[in-house]
Amino acid sequence: MKYAALSDKGLVRPNNEDAFLATEAAIGVADGMGGHEGGELASQIALEEASKAITSMERRPKATLAKIFANANSAVLRMARESQQTGMGTTLTIAVLKKQRIWIGHIGDSRAYLLRGGNLEQLTEDHSLVGDLVRSGGLSQDEARTHPKRHVITKAVGTQKLIKPDIFSLTFEDGDRLLICTDGLTNHVEPDSLSKLAAGGSPESACERLVEAAKERGGSDNITVVIGDINGASESKPDRSSTDRRTVLSRLFGKNGVN
Ligand code: MG
């Protein structure tokens, strides 16, 4: 998979609580919540767990994804307890390529899309109050994007002892483009624009176009976009991701890392 990622704090928020994972074999985003850097920590910790499990992934992608979510959940709960923070949590949406299939693990209101032959298909369901309302027919997609309670999510990593992520797979084709993003993009850019802006050019240029569009439309939240282009050679060995445990530890315990 040829990939690119871009994260921007947007125009309103003082810090960036989003994080991403981008490797040849897996891409993902996490959108953290919680005060006093809790959100930033939660999203980083979740992706760090993802990165560890993917690096050692064996034959069973479904089990690996389930493990990622269970480990990320325990790690965020543990961190919240140790740092005495309440309200810490994060969305987590990951796509892993294995055995000619795209495996998706998802919880929260970040999204995965598949762009195939000019069509953009949303692969994930939002675990959010407005997502539930849209599915029950009580709200349109357009109304959901500006609804005052659009930020209320119904499931997240780190909010309860046991979590139930959505885990599923689909067959990939040469030329597929995967797009994984946080709600800072989708609350500002409607599906039509999204599919136009996401198509064509390199993954890097598509990431730039999408982030720029979200900022032009207000940039009210952190915006994170990861794009992966799938080709015949996509199922390569997982490589080390860019998340770094030392960064997390130094944030918690000061500049020198472990206390
Ligand atoms: Mg967000």
Side-chain angles (χ1 to χ4, degrees):
M1 186 159 47
K2 194 163 173 275
Y3 61 88
L6 196 55
S7 189
D8 193 293
K9 75 182 169 89
L11 304 174
V12 175
R13 299 287 173 94
N15 47 10
N16 192 346
E17 300 188 327
D18 286 358
F20 63 81
L21 166 82
T23 75
E24 269 183 40
I27 57 176
V29 300
D31 179 347
M33 59 195 137
H36 304 286
E37 294 202 337
E40 281 167 85
L41 280 169
S43 57
Q44 283 186 41
I45 291 163
L47 286 177
E48 184 195 328
E49 291 299 331
S51 156
K52 272 195 287 189
I54 289 164
T55 307
S56 60
M57 181 160 76
E58 291 166 13
R59 289 195 177 160
R60 300 188 307 151
K62 192 173 185 177
T64 304
L65 280 168
K67 188 172 134 191
I68 287 172
F69 282 81
N71 289 358
N73 195 48
S74 316
V76 173
L77 285 171
R78 191 167 55 240
M79 186 68 86
R81 203 166 51 236
E82 284 169 6
S83 60
Q84 298 182 334
Q85 298 209 46
T86 52
M88 204 165 152
T90 184
T91 73
L92 184 58
T93 303
I94 308 171
V96 181
L97 300 189
K98 195 79 183 170
K99 294 182 181 171
Q100 295 298 309
R101 295 185 79 76
I102 305 163
W103 283 86
I104 306 274
H106 164 73
I107 196 163
D109 67 350
S110 300
R111 289 181 184 173
Y113 289 93
L114 176 67
L115 193 68
R116 179 179 286 173
N119 273 335
L120 187 76
E121 184 193 351
Q122 186 178 330
L123 300 175
T124 51
E125 279 187 352
D126 296 347
H127 301 141
S128 65
L129 204 66
V130 294
D132 289 345
L133 287 172
V134 169
R135 279 188 292 280
S136 67
L139 206 66
S140 74
Q141 291 277 8
D142 278 346
E143 288 166 334
R145 271 198 304 282
T146 53
H147 195 280
K149 291 196 170 161
R150 65 187 176 278
H151 298 297
V152 179
I153 57 179
T154 50
K155 287 207 278 187
V157 168
T159 53
Q160 43 198 149
K161 264 191 177 165
L162 281 176
I163 53 167
K164 277 193 180 165
D166 295 338
I167 298 176
F168 55 92
S169 71
L170 55 150
T171 311
F172 66 68
E173 293 175 7
D174 268 10
D176 281 351
R177 172 168 280 185
L178 275 173
L179 161 66
I180 301 188
C181 59
T182 57
D183 66 337
L185 177 71
T186 48
N187 282 331
H188 284 301
V189 185
E190 73 284 8
D192 270 3
S193 305
L194 206 62
S195 85
K196 280 184 197 119
L197 293 163
S202 64
E204 287 84 359
S205 65
C207 284
E208 281 166 18
R209 285 195 299 272
L210 290 164
V211 168
E212 210 40 54
K215 288 169 80 176
E216 276 167 11
R217 291 157 168 82
S220 63
D221 193 4
N222 307 143
I223 310 143
T224 301
V225 183
V226 189
I227 285 179
D229 280 352
I230 298 175
N231 54 46
S234 276
E235 199 173 329
S236 53
K237 256 179 94 179
D239 50 5
R240 288 266 166 202
S241 81
S242 51
T243 52
D244 185 345
R245 179 148 187 88
R246 278 169 307 177
T247 318
V248 175
L249 290 171
S250 69
R251 277 174 176 282
L252 255 198
F253 300 113
K255 290 276 172 274
N256 297 323
V258 183
N259 66 346

